[in-house]
Short mmCIF file of all heavy atoms in Angstrom, two decimals:
data_model
loop_
_atom_site.label_atom_id
_atom_site.label_comp_id
_atom_site.label_asym_id
_atom_site.label_seq_id
_atom_site.Cartn_x
_atom_site.Cartn_y
_atom_site.Cartn_z
N GLU A 21 0.83 -1.22 0.00
CA GLU A 21 -0.04 0.08 -0.01
C GLU A 21 0.86 1.27 -0.01
O GLU A 21 0.55 2.22 -0.67
CB GLU A 21 -0.86 -0.03 1.22
CG GLU A 21 -1.95 -1.05 1.21
CD GLU A 21 -2.73 -1.11 2.45
OE1 GLU A 21 -2.29 -0.45 3.47
OE2 GLU A 21 -3.87 -1.78 2.40
N LEU A 22 2.02 1.19 0.74
CA LEU A 22 2.84 2.39 0.84
C LEU A 22 3.48 2.65 -0.56
O LEU A 22 3.51 3.79 -1.05
CB LEU A 22 4.00 2.12 1.77
CG LEU A 22 5.05 3.06 1.93
CD1 LEU A 22 4.46 4.40 2.37
CD2 LEU A 22 6.23 2.74 2.84
N CYS A 23 3.82 1.66 -1.29
CA CYS A 23 4.42 1.82 -2.62
C CYS A 23 3.39 2.41 -3.58
O CYS A 23 3.81 3.39 -4.36
CB CYS A 23 4.97 0.41 -3.09
SG CYS A 23 6.38 -0.17 -2.29
N ARG A 24 2.12 1.97 -3.56
CA ARG A 24 1.23 2.55 -4.48
C ARG A 24 0.81 4.05 -4.03
O ARG A 24 0.67 4.87 -4.89
CB ARG A 24 -0.12 1.74 -4.34
CG ARG A 24 0.05 0.32 -4.94
CD ARG A 24 -1.30 -0.23 -5.15
NE ARG A 24 -1.99 -0.59 -3.86
CZ ARG A 24 -1.79 -1.82 -3.37
NH1 ARG A 24 -1.05 -2.71 -3.85
NH2 ARG A 24 -2.38 -2.09 -2.14
N LEU A 25 0.88 4.31 -2.80
CA LEU A 25 0.59 5.64 -2.33
C LEU A 25 1.66 6.60 -2.68
O LEU A 25 1.50 7.66 -3.24
CB LEU A 25 0.38 5.58 -0.84
CG LEU A 25 0.20 7.07 -0.18
CD1 LEU A 25 -1.07 7.77 -0.62
CD2 LEU A 25 0.15 6.81 1.37
N VAL A 26 2.96 6.25 -2.47
CA VAL A 26 3.97 7.08 -2.80
C VAL A 26 4.14 7.29 -4.27
O VAL A 26 4.39 8.36 -4.75
CB VAL A 26 5.35 6.45 -2.30
CG1 VAL A 26 6.64 7.32 -2.73
CG2 VAL A 26 5.33 6.39 -0.80
N GLU A 27 3.82 6.28 -4.99
CA GLU A 27 3.83 6.49 -6.56
C GLU A 27 2.66 7.38 -7.00
O GLU A 27 2.88 8.13 -7.93
CB GLU A 27 3.69 5.03 -7.17
CG GLU A 27 3.76 5.09 -8.68
CD GLU A 27 3.74 3.67 -9.27
OE1 GLU A 27 3.27 2.80 -8.55
OE2 GLU A 27 3.97 3.57 -10.52
N ARG A 28 1.49 7.25 -6.41
CA ARG A 28 0.46 8.18 -6.77
C ARG A 28 0.71 9.59 -6.36
O ARG A 28 0.32 10.52 -7.18
CB ARG A 28 -0.81 7.68 -6.07
CG ARG A 28 -2.05 8.53 -6.41
CD ARG A 28 -3.36 7.91 -5.86
NE ARG A 28 -3.65 6.70 -6.49
CZ ARG A 28 -4.35 6.42 -7.42
NH1 ARG A 28 -4.91 7.52 -8.13
NH2 ARG A 28 -4.65 5.22 -7.87
N VAL A 29 1.41 9.81 -5.26
CA VAL A 29 1.71 11.22 -4.76
C VAL A 29 2.85 11.83 -5.42
O VAL A 29 2.84 13.00 -5.96
CB VAL A 29 1.80 11.19 -3.31
CG1 VAL A 29 2.26 12.55 -2.79
CG2 VAL A 29 0.57 10.82 -2.61
N THR A 30 3.95 10.99 -5.58
CA THR A 30 5.15 11.66 -6.14
C THR A 30 5.50 11.30 -7.61
O THR A 30 6.39 11.92 -8.19
CB THR A 30 6.37 11.28 -5.13
OG1 THR A 30 6.58 9.72 -5.30
CG2 THR A 30 6.11 11.55 -3.67
N GLY A 31 4.80 10.27 -8.04
CA GLY A 31 5.05 9.79 -9.37
C GLY A 31 6.02 8.73 -9.47
O GLY A 31 6.28 8.12 -10.56
N PHE A 32 6.76 8.27 -8.37
CA PHE A 32 7.68 7.38 -8.39
C PHE A 32 7.55 6.44 -7.21
O PHE A 32 7.16 6.92 -6.08
CB PHE A 32 9.15 7.80 -8.34
CG PHE A 32 9.44 8.66 -9.62
CD1 PHE A 32 9.33 10.02 -9.54
CD2 PHE A 32 10.01 8.13 -10.66
CE1 PHE A 32 9.61 10.80 -10.59
CE2 PHE A 32 10.30 8.89 -11.83
CZ PHE A 32 10.23 10.20 -11.73
N ARG A 33 7.77 5.16 -7.35
CA ARG A 33 7.77 4.25 -6.20
C ARG A 33 8.95 4.41 -5.33
O ARG A 33 10.01 4.86 -5.80
CB ARG A 33 7.68 2.66 -6.69
CG ARG A 33 6.43 2.35 -7.39
CD ARG A 33 6.57 1.10 -8.09
NE ARG A 33 6.55 0.01 -7.05
CZ ARG A 33 5.57 -0.59 -6.66
NH1 ARG A 33 4.34 -0.26 -7.00
NH2 ARG A 33 5.75 -1.62 -5.65
N PRO A 34 8.88 4.14 -4.00
CA PRO A 34 10.14 4.27 -3.23
C PRO A 34 11.02 3.23 -3.62
O PRO A 34 10.70 2.10 -3.98
CB PRO A 34 9.60 4.00 -1.75
CG PRO A 34 8.25 3.26 -1.93
CD PRO A 34 7.70 3.83 -3.29
N SER A 35 12.30 3.63 -3.70
CA SER A 35 13.32 2.73 -4.17
C SER A 35 13.61 1.55 -3.18
O SER A 35 13.24 1.64 -2.01
CB SER A 35 14.78 3.52 -4.40
OG SER A 35 15.07 3.89 -3.12
N ALA A 36 14.21 0.45 -3.69
CA ALA A 36 14.55 -0.68 -2.89
C ALA A 36 15.51 -0.24 -1.76
O ALA A 36 15.34 -0.73 -0.63
CB ALA A 36 14.99 -1.79 -3.68
N GLY A 37 16.45 0.54 -2.15
CA GLY A 37 17.40 0.96 -1.02
C GLY A 37 16.67 1.85 0.05
O GLY A 37 17.03 1.56 1.33
N LEU A 38 15.74 2.70 -0.24
CA LEU A 38 14.96 3.40 0.82
C LEU A 38 14.15 2.56 1.67
O LEU A 38 14.15 2.66 2.92
CB LEU A 38 14.07 4.43 0.05
CG LEU A 38 13.13 5.19 1.03
CD1 LEU A 38 13.92 6.03 1.95
CD2 LEU A 38 12.16 6.19 0.11
N LEU A 39 13.57 1.50 1.09
CA LEU A 39 12.68 0.54 1.88
C LEU A 39 13.69 -0.36 2.80
O LEU A 39 13.36 -0.59 3.87
CB LEU A 39 11.90 -0.47 0.99
CG LEU A 39 10.76 0.36 0.26
CD1 LEU A 39 10.10 -0.75 -0.72
CD2 LEU A 39 9.75 0.86 1.13
N ALA A 40 14.75 -0.83 2.23
CA ALA A 40 15.75 -1.59 2.95
C ALA A 40 16.34 -0.75 4.19
O ALA A 40 16.51 -1.26 5.23
CB ALA A 40 16.86 -2.02 2.12
N ALA A 41 16.55 0.53 3.91
CA ALA A 41 17.15 1.38 4.99
C ALA A 41 16.12 1.58 6.08
O ALA A 41 16.38 1.53 7.30
CB ALA A 41 17.57 2.77 4.45
N THR A 42 14.77 1.78 5.67
CA THR A 42 13.67 1.93 6.77
C THR A 42 13.57 0.61 7.49
O THR A 42 13.26 0.72 8.70
CB THR A 42 12.47 2.29 5.91
OG1 THR A 42 12.61 3.50 5.14
CG2 THR A 42 11.31 2.69 6.96
N GLN A 43 13.51 -0.46 6.81
CA GLN A 43 13.40 -1.70 7.58
C GLN A 43 14.49 -1.94 8.47
O GLN A 43 14.28 -2.61 9.60
CB GLN A 43 13.26 -2.92 6.48
CG GLN A 43 11.93 -2.87 5.76
CD GLN A 43 11.77 -3.99 4.82
OE1 GLN A 43 12.80 -4.72 4.55
NE2 GLN A 43 10.64 -4.19 4.25
N ALA A 44 15.83 -1.62 8.09
CA ALA A 44 16.90 -1.72 8.93
C ALA A 44 16.68 -0.88 10.17
O ALA A 44 17.13 -1.29 11.36
CB ALA A 44 18.24 -1.40 8.23
N ARG A 45 16.22 0.34 9.94
CA ARG A 45 15.93 1.15 11.20
C ARG A 45 14.88 0.54 12.10
O ARG A 45 15.08 0.62 13.32
CB ARG A 45 15.55 2.55 10.68
CG ARG A 45 15.00 3.58 11.73
CD ARG A 45 14.48 4.73 11.25
NE ARG A 45 14.03 5.72 12.09
CZ ARG A 45 13.51 6.86 11.89
NH1 ARG A 45 13.41 7.36 10.75
NH2 ARG A 45 13.04 7.60 12.91
N LEU A 46 13.84 -0.10 11.51
CA LEU A 46 12.88 -0.81 12.37
C LEU A 46 13.44 -1.93 13.12
O LEU A 46 13.11 -2.18 14.25
CB LEU A 46 11.71 -1.15 11.55
CG LEU A 46 10.81 -0.05 11.10
CD1 LEU A 46 9.77 -0.57 10.06
CD2 LEU A 46 10.03 0.62 12.16
N ASP A 47 14.35 -2.63 12.39
CA ASP A 47 14.98 -3.85 13.00
C ASP A 47 15.83 -3.44 14.28
O ASP A 47 15.76 -4.18 15.22
CB ASP A 47 15.88 -4.60 11.97
CG ASP A 47 14.90 -5.36 10.96
OD1 ASP A 47 13.80 -5.53 11.14
OD2 ASP A 47 15.50 -5.65 9.89
N ALA A 48 16.58 -2.36 14.12
CA ALA A 48 17.29 -1.83 15.15
C ALA A 48 16.41 -1.33 16.34
O ALA A 48 16.67 -1.67 17.48
CB ALA A 48 18.19 -0.66 14.76
N GLU A 49 15.30 -0.78 16.05
CA GLU A 49 14.28 -0.46 17.20
C GLU A 49 13.64 -1.61 17.71
O GLU A 49 13.24 -1.64 18.95
CB GLU A 49 13.25 0.56 16.46
CG GLU A 49 13.87 1.82 16.10
CD GLU A 49 12.88 2.86 15.58
OE1 GLU A 49 11.54 2.40 15.54
OE2 GLU A 49 13.08 3.95 15.18
N VAL A 50 13.36 -2.69 16.96
CA VAL A 50 12.86 -3.94 17.50
C VAL A 50 13.82 -4.57 18.55
O VAL A 50 13.38 -4.90 19.66
CB VAL A 50 12.62 -4.90 16.40
CG1 VAL A 50 12.22 -6.32 16.87
CG2 VAL A 50 11.30 -4.35 15.53
N LYS A 51 15.04 -4.53 18.12
CA LYS A 51 16.07 -5.15 19.08
C LYS A 51 16.18 -4.30 20.32
O LYS A 51 16.25 -4.84 21.49
CB LYS A 51 17.41 -5.12 18.31
CG LYS A 51 18.65 -5.82 19.15
CD LYS A 51 19.77 -5.99 18.29
CE LYS A 51 20.82 -6.58 19.05
NZ LYS A 51 21.37 -5.87 20.28
N SER A 52 16.11 -3.02 20.23
CA SER A 52 16.18 -2.07 21.31
C SER A 52 14.88 -2.32 22.24
O SER A 52 15.01 -2.26 23.47
CB SER A 52 16.29 -0.67 20.94
OG SER A 52 16.27 0.18 22.16
N PHE A 53 13.82 -2.50 21.60
CA PHE A 53 12.50 -2.66 22.39
C PHE A 53 12.65 -3.97 23.20
O PHE A 53 12.17 -3.98 24.37
CB PHE A 53 11.32 -2.68 21.39
CG PHE A 53 10.05 -2.86 22.11
CD1 PHE A 53 9.19 -1.91 22.71
CD2 PHE A 53 9.41 -4.09 22.01
CE1 PHE A 53 8.03 -2.01 23.29
CE2 PHE A 53 8.25 -4.39 22.63
CZ PHE A 53 7.58 -3.32 23.24
N LYS A 54 13.01 -5.05 22.51
CA LYS A 54 13.10 -6.35 23.31
C LYS A 54 14.16 -6.33 24.43
O LYS A 54 13.99 -7.07 25.35
CB LYS A 54 13.51 -7.38 22.21
CG LYS A 54 12.34 -7.79 21.25
CD LYS A 54 12.70 -8.84 20.37
CE LYS A 54 11.56 -9.42 19.57
NZ LYS A 54 11.99 -10.62 18.79
N GLU A 55 15.18 -5.48 24.34
CA GLU A 55 16.22 -5.53 25.33
C GLU A 55 16.14 -4.36 26.24
O GLU A 55 16.98 -4.25 27.11
CB GLU A 55 17.61 -5.42 24.56
CG GLU A 55 17.78 -6.65 23.72
CD GLU A 55 19.16 -6.54 23.13
OE1 GLU A 55 19.79 -5.48 23.10
OE2 GLU A 55 19.53 -7.58 22.38
N ARG A 56 15.08 -3.48 26.10
CA ARG A 56 15.00 -2.39 27.04
C ARG A 56 14.73 -2.75 28.43
O ARG A 56 14.22 -3.80 28.78
CB ARG A 56 13.88 -1.45 26.58
CG ARG A 56 12.50 -1.89 27.02
CD ARG A 56 11.28 -1.07 26.34
NE ARG A 56 10.05 -1.35 26.88
CZ ARG A 56 9.37 -2.37 26.67
NH1 ARG A 56 9.77 -3.37 25.84
NH2 ARG A 56 8.12 -2.52 27.28
N ARG A 57 15.23 -1.85 29.31
CA ARG A 57 15.02 -2.12 30.83
C ARG A 57 13.63 -1.77 31.25
O ARG A 57 13.01 -0.70 30.86
CB ARG A 57 16.04 -1.15 31.51
CG ARG A 57 16.13 -1.41 33.09
CD ARG A 57 16.77 -2.75 33.33
NE ARG A 57 16.85 -2.95 34.81
CZ ARG A 57 17.26 -4.10 35.33
NH1 ARG A 57 17.64 -5.11 34.62
NH2 ARG A 57 17.22 -4.33 36.59
N LEU A 58 13.04 -2.69 32.10
CA LEU A 58 11.73 -2.55 32.61
C LEU A 58 11.79 -1.56 33.89
O LEU A 58 12.33 -2.37 34.94
CB LEU A 58 11.13 -3.81 32.85
CG LEU A 58 10.86 -4.76 31.52
CD1 LEU A 58 10.13 -6.03 31.83
CD2 LEU A 58 9.99 -3.97 30.51
N GLU A 59 11.40 -0.57 33.90
CA GLU A 59 11.60 0.42 35.07
C GLU A 59 10.39 0.37 36.03
O GLU A 59 10.62 0.68 37.18
CB GLU A 59 11.76 1.86 34.63
CG GLU A 59 12.99 1.98 33.62
CD GLU A 59 14.34 1.75 34.36
OE1 GLU A 59 14.43 1.77 35.56
OE2 GLU A 59 15.35 1.62 33.50
N GLY A 60 9.20 -0.06 35.66
CA GLY A 60 8.09 0.02 36.39
C GLY A 60 7.98 -1.19 37.43
O GLY A 60 8.57 -2.18 37.25
N GLN A 61 7.14 -0.86 38.40
CA GLN A 61 6.70 -2.07 39.39
C GLN A 61 5.37 -2.52 38.81
O GLN A 61 4.31 -1.79 38.84
CB GLN A 61 6.58 -1.50 40.77
CG GLN A 61 7.90 -1.05 41.30
CD GLN A 61 8.80 -2.30 41.58
OE1 GLN A 61 8.35 -3.45 41.98
NE2 GLN A 61 10.01 -2.24 41.29
N TYR A 62 5.26 -3.74 38.49
CA TYR A 62 3.99 -4.28 37.85
C TYR A 62 3.24 -5.21 38.87
O TYR A 62 3.79 -5.97 39.60
CB TYR A 62 4.35 -5.17 36.65
CG TYR A 62 5.11 -4.31 35.63
CD1 TYR A 62 6.57 -4.34 35.58
CD2 TYR A 62 4.41 -3.43 34.71
CE1 TYR A 62 7.08 -3.52 34.61
CE2 TYR A 62 5.16 -2.66 33.90
CZ TYR A 62 6.49 -2.71 33.85
OH TYR A 62 7.14 -1.92 32.90
N ARG A 63 1.93 -4.83 38.86
CA ARG A 63 0.99 -5.44 39.85
C ARG A 63 0.32 -6.78 39.21
O ARG A 63 0.21 -7.63 39.81
CB ARG A 63 -0.11 -4.54 40.17
CG ARG A 63 -0.99 -4.93 41.32
CD ARG A 63 -1.87 -3.78 41.68
NE ARG A 63 -2.77 -4.01 42.91
CZ ARG A 63 -3.51 -3.18 43.48
NH1 ARG A 63 -3.66 -1.99 42.93
NH2 ARG A 63 -4.21 -3.53 44.54
N TYR A 64 -0.08 -6.65 37.94
CA TYR A 64 -0.70 -7.69 37.24
C TYR A 64 0.14 -8.09 35.96
O TYR A 64 0.70 -7.18 35.35
CB TYR A 64 -2.16 -7.50 36.81
CG TYR A 64 -2.95 -7.06 38.06
CD1 TYR A 64 -3.60 -5.75 38.11
CD2 TYR A 64 -3.28 -7.90 39.08
CE1 TYR A 64 -4.41 -5.44 39.19
CE2 TYR A 64 -3.96 -7.55 40.26
CZ TYR A 64 -4.61 -6.27 40.16
OH TYR A 64 -5.36 -5.90 41.21
N LEU A 65 0.14 -9.29 35.64
CA LEU A 65 0.90 -9.79 34.44
C LEU A 65 0.00 -10.74 33.66
O LEU A 65 -0.53 -11.68 34.09
CB LEU A 65 2.18 -10.57 34.89
CG LEU A 65 3.11 -10.96 33.65
CD1 LEU A 65 3.58 -9.89 32.89
CD2 LEU A 65 4.23 -11.92 34.25
N PHE A 66 -0.32 -10.28 32.32
CA PHE A 66 -1.04 -11.09 31.44
C PHE A 66 -0.19 -11.79 30.49
O PHE A 66 0.75 -11.10 29.98
CB PHE A 66 -2.11 -10.26 30.66
CG PHE A 66 -3.08 -9.59 31.41
CD1 PHE A 66 -2.92 -8.31 32.10
CD2 PHE A 66 -4.38 -10.12 31.58
CE1 PHE A 66 -3.88 -7.71 32.92
CE2 PHE A 66 -5.40 -9.49 32.30
CZ PHE A 66 -5.07 -8.29 32.99
N LEU A 67 -0.39 -13.10 30.26
CA LEU A 67 0.40 -13.87 29.36
C LEU A 67 -0.33 -14.64 28.40
O LEU A 67 -1.50 -15.20 28.79
CB LEU A 67 1.31 -14.89 30.28
CG LEU A 67 2.27 -14.30 31.22
CD1 LEU A 67 2.87 -15.40 32.10
CD2 LEU A 67 3.39 -13.49 30.53
#
């Protein structure tokens, strides 16, 4: 959907390099999210 939207707005699809760089940024954030420190005191835990 993003590729179709960008092509309709700008006239060009996002390049493969742009999508790969964005996905690499998301992968780094995923890793940081999974390893982040839990600072709060939790009363209930849903699993």
Side-chain angles (χ1 to χ4, degrees):
E21 292 174 344
L22 175 65
C23 291
R24 290 193 294 268
L25 175 62
V26 174
E27 185 177 13
R28 182 177 292 272
V29 172
T30 66
F32 297 92
R33 295 170 66 89
S35 64
L38 176 61
L39 293 176
T42 305
Q43 290 181 350
R45 176 181 175 183
L46 286 173
D47 290 338
E49 293 182 0
V50 169
K51 185 175 184 296
S52 177
F53 178 81
K54 287 185 173 182
E55 298 176 356
R56 78 190 191 281
R57 186 71 181 172
L58 301 178
E59 303 293 343
Q61 292 291 320
Y62 300 97
R63 187 173 188 175
Y64 304 119
L65 182 66
F66 294 87
L67 300 173

